[in-house]
């Protein structure tokens, strides 16, 4: 620990305590956040080994990658067999294509890329704080705090494109800040760097549509600084984005627009948005309050930084987490921004305290009194701030608590921290009778979470059991998860949530699909959450019956066979 | 851009958002006859934005 505590060389107990206490607290804060990194890696490695869907959407993102690896677009006609289309932009999947060429259609490919993306984001956050604050431990914790967020932990190592979008967003905003700082220092424009920002924004947008908020934040910041320049850059940026959009739409006969725009117009659930906002604030209180305070300070007392604009826009945009199908990950951008603002404010506070330590303005002698609070603070201002900051980080670490407890060592750590070592949750059922609660070796301050518990050998065995059920028949299964068909080497048939979105927007013709179901054209139906549109569920209910229930990842899957058939 | 201009932008944005929420009513949006709960929250947020804008006005020509 290199921090100087500015305590006088006199060796009394108080001075020794004040010299060591900050170092101990900083060490503990670092330990806590490094601990979260270790937990994150444990979870990620377990997921890399798991060959089935952990989150329902993962298999469909793998399917998109497979289609790209064959040189095909995943934006297709949902009216005809296999009724499949993607609703996400292509970049994340295109980046994974070489891994699929090399290793085949494996879940770990996309999970690894997403996980590495979160690490890059954390490094970018740490760099953004370090280049201004120059306090290595604050910068380190700021970056690690992003990975320690329950939301980032849950989604980071999944085969989902969201966190990869956040990586591009973070890199874009950090590069924007570096560019403007350099331009102000050099007194000239650095357009090549700004071009880099635009490329990163384009990459974010073509990874996931939600990046529009960061695009808006960047141009809003540029508008605040130089309105004309912002417009000059916005026009070609919009043109390139639009031309790329039109090209993909033309190449896919309009299915790009249908599947990525029209099908994403989902109903807004106010209760879901409010619940997620409350949870986000409860879990990230220190990061959020600090970021808000710094934003207010900048708004009134100095120039507004790109990070403040980004944070403001990202928080407002997090309201979209209330859309059906959206969720906690929609807060990841706001969390990244809040980590940077928190690190910057803490670094500035510490630098300010060091400069003003023992400042005469902070000391006051009243009637030759040997001790007053003000004198004490004056002497130990820097030490006081140095105590406060790691303490706040520790409070934040405690609020974010999440830990798998499937090994004796992890369970012991949780116990030693005064946390529960397991939770009791009933498996999720939708197509079968409710089941009693079970002990789950995973604790999360976010509450009962479907994500976060590392999958285990039983989950893999359950996945293999469901795959075997498909292989017992001759056709692809009509399955809510793509992973079982992929494992069995059969076609991936439709994406239930995408189908439901299209159905709700009157953009799909189910005639062919319903005819196939009515004719029992599929040997196997696999339900998990019954996300299919009502007519599809009706047809399944009339033509198929449940023959087997298999529990995987806390979900009970219903394996259904055609009514009147003899499976044996 | 100055802090005052930013304040004016905030005031315009807040006022615009309030008007937009009423315009939605005129276009037949929403499930409530009067001011619904979501609209109430939106109006409060818009009012807050206007208030922030007003407090920025005295900061004058300081760069935003």
């Amino acid at each position: 620990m290199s921090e100087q505590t500015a305590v006088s060389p006199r060796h009394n107990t108080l001075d020794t305590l004040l010299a060591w206490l900050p170092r101990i607290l900083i060490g503990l804060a670092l330990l806590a956040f490094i601990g979260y990194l270790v937990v994150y890696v444990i979870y990620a490695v377990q997921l890399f080994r798991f060959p089935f869907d952990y989150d329902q959407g993962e298999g469909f993102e793998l399917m998109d990658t497979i289609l790209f690896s064959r040189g095909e677009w995943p934006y297709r006609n949902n009216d005809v067999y296999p009724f499949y289309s993607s609703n996400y932009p292509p970049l994340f999947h295109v980046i994974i294509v070489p891994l699929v060429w090399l290793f085949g259609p494996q879940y770990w490919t996309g999970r690894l890329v997403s996980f590495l993306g979160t690490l890059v984001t954390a490094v970018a956050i740490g760099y953004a704080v370090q280049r201004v604050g120059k306090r290595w431990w604050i910068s380190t914790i700021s970056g690690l705090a992003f990975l320690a967020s329950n939301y980032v932990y849950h989604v980071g190592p999944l085969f989902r494109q969201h966190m990869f979008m956040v990586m591009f967003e973070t890199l874009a905003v950090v590069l924007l800040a570096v560019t403007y700082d350099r331009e102000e220092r050099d007194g000239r424009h650095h357009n090549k760097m700004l071009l880099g920002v635009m490329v990163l924004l384009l990459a974010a947008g073509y990874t996931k549509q939600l990046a529009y908020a960061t695009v808006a934040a960047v141009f809003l910041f540029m508008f605040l600084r130089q309105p004309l320049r912002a417009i000059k850059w916005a026009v070609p940026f919009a043109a390139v984005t639009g031309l790329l959009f039109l090209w993909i739409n033309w190449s896919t006969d309009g299915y790009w627009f249908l599947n990525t725009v029209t099908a994403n117009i989902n109903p807004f659930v106010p209760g879901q948005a409010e619940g997620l906002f409350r949870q986000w604030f409860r879990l990230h209180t220190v990061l959020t309050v600090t970021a808000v305070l710094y934003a207010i300070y900048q708004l009134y007392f100095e120039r507004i930084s790109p990070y403040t604009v980004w944070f403001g826009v990202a928080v407002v945009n997090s309201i979209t987490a209330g859309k059906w199908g959206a969720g906690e990950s929609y807060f990841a951008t706001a969390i990244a921004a809040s980590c940077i603002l928190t690190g910057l404010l803490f670094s500035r506070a510490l630098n300010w305290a060091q400069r003003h330590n023992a400042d005469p303005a902070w000391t006051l002698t009243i009637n030759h009194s040997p001790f007053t609070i003000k004198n004490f603070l004056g002497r130990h201002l820097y030490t006081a701030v140095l105590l406060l900051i790691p303490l706040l980080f520790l409070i934040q670490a405690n609020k974010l608590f999440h830990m798998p407890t499937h090994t004796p060592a992890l369970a012991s750590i949780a116990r030693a921290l005064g946390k529960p070592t397991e939770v009791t949750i009933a498996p999720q059922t939708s197509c079968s009778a409710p089941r009693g609660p079970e002990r789950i070796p995973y604790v999360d301050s976010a509450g009962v979470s479907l994500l976060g518990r590392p999958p285990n050998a039983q989950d893999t065995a359950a996945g293999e059991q469901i795959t075997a059920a498909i292989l017992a028949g001759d056709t692809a299964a009509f399955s809510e998860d793509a992973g079982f068909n992929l494992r069995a080497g059969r076609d991936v048939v439709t994406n239930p949530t995408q189908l439901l979105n299209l159905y709700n927007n009157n953009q799909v013709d189910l005639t062919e699909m319903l005819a196939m179901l009515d004719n029992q054209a599929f040997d196997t139906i696999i339900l998990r959450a019954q996300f299919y549109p009502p007519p599809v569920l009706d047809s399944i209910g009339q033509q198929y019956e449940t023959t087997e229930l298999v529990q995987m990842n806390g979900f009970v899957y219903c394996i259904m066979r055609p009514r009147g058939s003899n499976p044996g | 851009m100055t802090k005052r201009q930013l304040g004016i932008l905030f005031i315009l944005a807040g006022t615009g958002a309030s008007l937009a929420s009423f315009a939605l009513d005129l276009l037949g949006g929403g499930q409530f006859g009067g001011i619904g709960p979501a609209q109430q929250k939106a109006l409060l947020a818009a009012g807050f934005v206007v208030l922030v804008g007003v407090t920025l006005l005295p900061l004058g020509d300081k760069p935003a």
Side-chain angles (χ1 to χ4, degrees):
Chain A
M1 216 73 41
S2 63
E3 292 296 347
Q4 300 299 310
T5 50
V7 172
S8 69
R10 279 188 305 115
H11 287 288
N12 60 41
T13 311
L14 183 65
D15 284 349
T16 309
L17 191 70
L18 291 178
W20 280 99
L21 203 54
R23 290 171 183 167
I24 292 167
L25 286 177
I26 290 169
L28 285 174
L30 277 167
L31 191 66
F33 283 95
I34 290 169
Y36 279 125
L37 177 64
V38 172
V39 162
Y40 186 48
V41 171
I42 290 171
Y43 173 54
V45 170
Q46 294 284 95
L47 277 169
F48 297 159
R49 291 173 175 163
F50 184 62
F52 298 99
D53 287 78
Y54 183 74
D55 179 73
Q56 191 257 350
E58 284 188 291
F60 301 113
E61 301 227 20
L62 176 55
M63 185 60 206
D64 296 344
T65 311
I66 294 167
L67 289 169
F68 278 119
S69 75
R70 295 177 189 154
E72 298 172 26
W73 289 108
Y75 314 109
R76 294 159 169 250
N77 184 354
N78 291 270
D79 301 345
V80 296
Y81 185 85
F83 317 110
Y84 182 81
S85 182
S86 171
N87 60 332
Y88 292 124
L91 189 58
F92 178 63
H93 312 112
V94 168
I95 285 171
I96 301 163
V97 161
L99 290 175
V100 168
W101 281 337
L102 285 171
F103 302 103
Q106 304 290 334
Y107 276 82
W108 65 260
T109 54
R111 287 172 180 160
L112 177 67
V113 170
S114 177
F115 173 72
L116 292 176
T118 59
L119 298 188
V120 171
T121 306
V123 170
I125 290 168
Y127 169 75
V129 176
Q130 179 64 20
R131 61 181 287 276
V132 177
K134 314 281 186 209
R135 300 273 175 179
W136 70 268
W137 62 273
I138 293 181
S139 311
T140 305
I141 294 177
S142 300
L144 290 175
F146 175 74
L147 301 177
S149 162
N150 309 62
Y151 299 167
V152 176
Y153 168 83
H154 291 160
V155 186
L158 297 181
F159 200 136
R160 304 306 304 264
Q161 80 296 85
H162 193 103
M163 300 312 296
F164 214 62
M165 172 200 74
V166 177
M167 177 195 77
F168 283 128
E169 289 178 320
T170 308
L171 291 173
V173 178
V174 172
L175 183 59
L176 180 75
V178 173
T179 305
Y180 269 77
D181 285 353
R182 196 164 292 179
E183 287 187 348
E184 285 179 3
R185 189 192 66 201
D186 298 349
R188 64 187 178 89
H189 284 167
H190 287 291
N191 286 331
K192 279 184 185 169
M193 290 175 72
L194 207 50
L195 186 64
V197 174
M198 299 299 144
V199 170
L200 287 165
L201 286 179
L202 195 67
Y206 276 92
T207 300
K208 192 170 181 180
Q209 302 92 319
L210 198 67
Y212 67 81
T214 295
V215 173
V218 165
F219 282 105
L220 188 59
F221 167 78
M222 289 176 67
F223 189 80
L224 289 178
R225 290 291 170 98
Q226 295 153 308
L228 197 60
R229 192 181 186 205
I231 295 165
K232 279 180 181 171
W233 278 87
V235 171
F237 180 81
V240 171
T241 308
L243 283 173
L244 208 50
F245 190 97
L246 289 174
W247 172 66
I248 301 176
N249 203 45
W250 170 77
S251 303
T252 60
D253 294 329
Y255 288 117
W256 158 258
F257 184 84
L258 174 74
N259 287 289
T260 62
V261 180
T262 311
N264 274 311
I265 302 168
N266 297 331
F268 183 74
V269 188
Q272 178 177 318
E274 193 177 330
L276 283 169
F277 259 100
R278 285 179 189 280
Q279 188 191 59
W280 162 69
F281 186 74
R282 177 172 61 78
L283 293 173
H284 305 85
T285 315
V286 174
L287 292 171
T288 309
V289 169
T290 312
V292 167
L293 288 175
Y294 193 43
I296 291 171
Y297 175 79
Q298 287 203 325
L299 189 61
Y300 289 100
F301 299 107
E302 62 180 29
R303 297 189 86 176
I304 299 169
S305 72
Y307 305 123
T308 295
V309 177
W310 187 38
F311 175 70
V313 173
V315 169
V316 171
N317 191 54
S318 298
I319 195 81
T320 53
K323 272 195 327 169
W324 185 86
E328 60 182 33
S329 61
Y330 280 48
F331 286 87
T333 304
I335 292 166
S338 68
C339 288
I340 294 179
L341 289 177
T342 298
L344 291 177
L345 179 58
F346 283 173
S347 303
R348 283 185 69 166
L350 207 49
N351 292 339
W352 173 86
Q354 192 170 30
R355 279 199 308 277
H356 290 83
N357 199 62
D359 189 327
W362 276 79
T363 56
L364 181 70
T365 306
I366 304 168
N367 297 332
H368 306 289
S369 165
F371 180 83
T372 67
I373 292 297
K374 200 170 183 183
N375 275 348
F376 183 79
L377 269 182
R379 263 185 69 208
H380 299 293
L381 178 67
Y382 179 58
T383 308
V385 178
L386 205 51
L387 282 169
L388 183 66
I389 290 172
L391 203 60
L392 288 170
F393 273 134
L394 281 168
I395 292 169
Q396 181 57 78
N398 185 50
K399 283 182 143 316
L400 295 169
F401 188 79
H402 54 272
M403 180 187 271
T405 52
H406 59 293
T407 68
L410 289 169
S412 302
I413 293 170
R415 201 175 296 115
L417 292 169
K419 304 289 183 185
T421 55
E422 57 188 19
V423 290
T424 310
I425 307 172
Q428 296 282 308
T429 52
S430 75
C431 48
S432 60
R435 292 188 174 185
E438 295 175 353
R439 289 176 174 177
I440 304 294
Y442 175 69
V443 186
D444 195 324
S445 56
V448 175
S449 174
L450 301 175
L451 301 172
R453 178 186 67 86
N456 55 32
Q458 286 81 30
D459 295 315
T460 304
E464 297 293 2
Q465 188 184 341
I466 298 171
T467 306
I470 296 174
L471 289 170
D474 299 320
T475 71
F478 196 83
S479 169
E480 278 192 88
D481 282 12
F484 309 121
N485 275 323
L486 287 169
R487 188 79 167 169
R490 305 272 168 90
D491 293 341
V492 170
V493 183
T494 200
N495 173 344
T497 51
Q498 173 72 348
L499 196 68
L500 184 61
N501 291 345
L502 289 165
Y503 176 79
N504 288 335
N505 288 293
N506 294 316
Q507 295 294 331
V508 65
D509 179 357
L510 297 173
T511 308
E512 185 179 329
M513 183 185 290
L514 293 176
M516 287 185 79
L517 288 169
D518 288 342
N519 292 325
Q520 299 181 336
F522 301 99
D523 294 331
T524 319
I525 304 283
I526 300 165
L527 295 182
R528 178 169 103 157
Q530 303 199 69
F531 280 142
Y532 293 114
V536 174
L537 291 173
D538 284 348
S539 181
I540 290 172
Q542 285 163 21
Q543 301 298 335
Y544 292 85
E545 59 190 349
T546 303
T547 57
E548 204 176 346
L549 299 176
V550 181
Q551 187 175 324
M552 185 180 92
N553 296 328
F555 288 89
V556 177
Y557 288 77
C558 298
I559 299 174
M560 305 176 82
R561 300 285 188 198
R563 288 184 190 276
S565 70
N566 183 357
Chain B
M1 182 170 279
T2 66
K3 295 280 186 194
R4 184 191 292 120
Q5 288 167 332
L6 183 62
I8 293 167
L9 266 185
F10 268 68
I11 293 167
L12 289 175
T15 311
S18 312
L19 292 176
S21 78
F22 286 117
L24 275 177
D25 271 353
L26 289 176
L27 294 171
Q31 305 162 10
F32 296 88
I35 295 175
Q39 195 177 16
Q40 234 172 26
K41 284 174 187 163
L43 283 172
L44 271 173
F48 179 72
V49 171
V50 171
L51 195 68
V52 171
V54 171
T55 61
L56 284 171
L57 294 179
L59 297 177
D61 291 336
K62 286 181 185 166

